[in-house]
Amino acid sequence: MAASSSIAAPLSLDAPRRAWLTDLPVLLVAVVWGASYLAAKGITTTHTVVAVLVLRFAVVLPVLVAAGWRKLRALTGAQWRGAATLGLVLSGIFLLETYGVVHTSATNAGLIISLTMIFTPLTEAAVTKARPPRAFLAAAALSVAGVVLLTQGGGFTAPSLGDLLMLLAALARTVHVLAMSRIKAVRSADSLSLTTVQLGSAVAVFAVIAVFPGTGASPWSTALGFGPAEWAGLLFLSVFCTLFAFFVQMWAVRRTSPSRVSLLLGTEPLWAAAAGIAVAGDRPGVLGLAGAALVLAGTTWGRRAADAGA
């Protein structure tokens, strides 16, 4: 017994360090995702949403296929189907987010999408039949109240189309995170291969949409119209906000809980708001600032309540 105690002590001391080694990349994802709303808003219009999405994914997909070809071929049929299903959900997330950010401010987009941190534990609790702590439910209500105020920066009016689209995107993100943890086939597969299949499935959806008339400019004409600034923004979205972010998310969700991954992404609205206010000159107004404060307070409280409940 004495020997086992002497071994257990350093393991317990190393546990927080190992947790941070997993948490830190997820936290960095929150930073780049927070900046992504402003980047997307800078290179996208209503008529180029689908084209930009095709370009964003197509830039990194060949690199992924070449880098992971051997492991990609080793995926089983179930793993292919599971990853492709996740890719369909992913395509919906990106369509909602990109159309949403075109029709609202970068600050609003980042703060509304942060409701994923509330939706994920609530949905996970509903699926597992585990009642969330009362403090968490109170934090969720506070966050929802904050979003209502946030969308009323200029007075009490109906939320904009972009605000509603971002709310739907938050729900879709919740589905994606939970699906990653519950589809058994994808939990045992290589993260890079699964990311490749997901992105390939998503870009196939965007390419099909782009063929239909009335869906905006073609990817080719959009690419020809890009200058250096637009290409820099596209590469940032492709390499950091897509390739890096989703590889880390697939890697981390198998080493921790879905709720923890979503909660660690809780700093995303801080970065989105900072970028929107400092760079884009967003001015949320008194009501908007009050709403932003409630969203941040609610998501912070919710993270702590969820951790305490776990």
Side-chain angles (χ1 to χ4, degrees):
M1 294 295 295
S4 61
S5 298
S6 64
I7 293 174
L11 287 177
S12 63
L13 291 174
D14 286 342
R17 184 180 302 174
R18 288 197 302 270
W20 267 108
L21 290 176
T22 302
D23 293 348
L24 195 57
V26 180
L27 199 59
L28 187 55
V29 169
V31 175
V32 297
W33 273 357
S36 70
Y37 301 104
L38 192 58
K41 197 171 183 65
I43 67 171
T44 312
T45 67
T46 304
H47 300 293
T48 62
V49 167
V50 177
V52 167
L53 287 173
V54 171
L55 294 171
R56 174 177 177 175
F57 282 73
V59 165
V60 297
L61 197 57
V63 178
L64 286 173
V65 172
W69 178 248
R70 182 176 299 177
K71 291 184 178 180
L72 196 61
R73 293 180 61 188
L75 292 178
T76 65
Q79 289 169 339
W80 274 93
R81 290 189 295 272
T85 300
L86 291 174
L88 294 178
V89 179
L90 187 63
S91 67
I93 294 171
F94 274 97
L95 284 168
L96 289 167
E97 285 187 356
T98 311
Y99 274 113
V101 79
V102 169
H103 293 287
T104 190
S105 67
T107 300
N108 274 28
L111 288 165
I112 293 173
I113 203 69
S114 71
L115 289 178
T116 303
M117 295 178 296
I118 300 298
F119 294 155
T120 300
L122 286 176
T123 307
E124 190 175 22
V127 171
T128 60
K129 310 297 184 183
R131 182 179 176 83
R134 291 182 180 179
F136 182 85
L137 295 176
L142 190 66
S143 297
V144 172
V147 168
V148 172
L149 287 178
L150 175 67
T151 60
Q152 310 304 316
F156 283 98
T157 59
S160 71
L161 173 62
D163 296 332
L164 294 175
L165 290 174
M166 294 308 300
L167 187 61
L168 291 174
L171 291 169
R173 276 199 190 187
T174 297
V175 173
H176 188 257
V177 172
L178 292 177
M180 279 195 295
S181 70
R182 299 186 71 84
I183 298 177
K184 293 182 180 179
V186 303
R187 290 181 62 85
S188 59
D190 172 64
S191 296
L192 179 60
S193 300
L194 293 177
T195 301
T196 304
V197 177
Q198 278 195 85
L199 298 187
S201 179
V203 78
V205 171
F206 302 141
V208 169
I209 294 175
V211 171
F212 288 93
T215 55
S218 70
W220 178 253
S221 63
T222 301
L224 289 178
F226 274 180
E230 288 79 11
W231 276 108
L234 182 68
L235 290 174
F236 173 75
L237 291 171
S238 298
V239 177
F240 292 100
C241 303
T242 304
L243 176 60
F244 169 75
F246 282 95
F247 176 77
V248 168
Q249 193 176 17
M250 286 292 298
W251 171 81
V253 80
R254 294 187 295 175
R255 289 162 173 79
T256 183
S257 70
S259 294
R260 187 174 182 85
V261 171
S262 291
L263 296 174
L264 285 168
L265 295 175
T267 56
E268 178 183 346
L270 292 175
W271 299 106
I277 293 172
V279 180
D282 290 345
R283 295 294 180 264
V286 176
L287 286 177
L289 289 173
L294 288 180
V295 171
L296 295 176
T299 51
T300 301
W301 187 14
R303 290 199 303 276
R304 292 176 178 173
D307 283 343

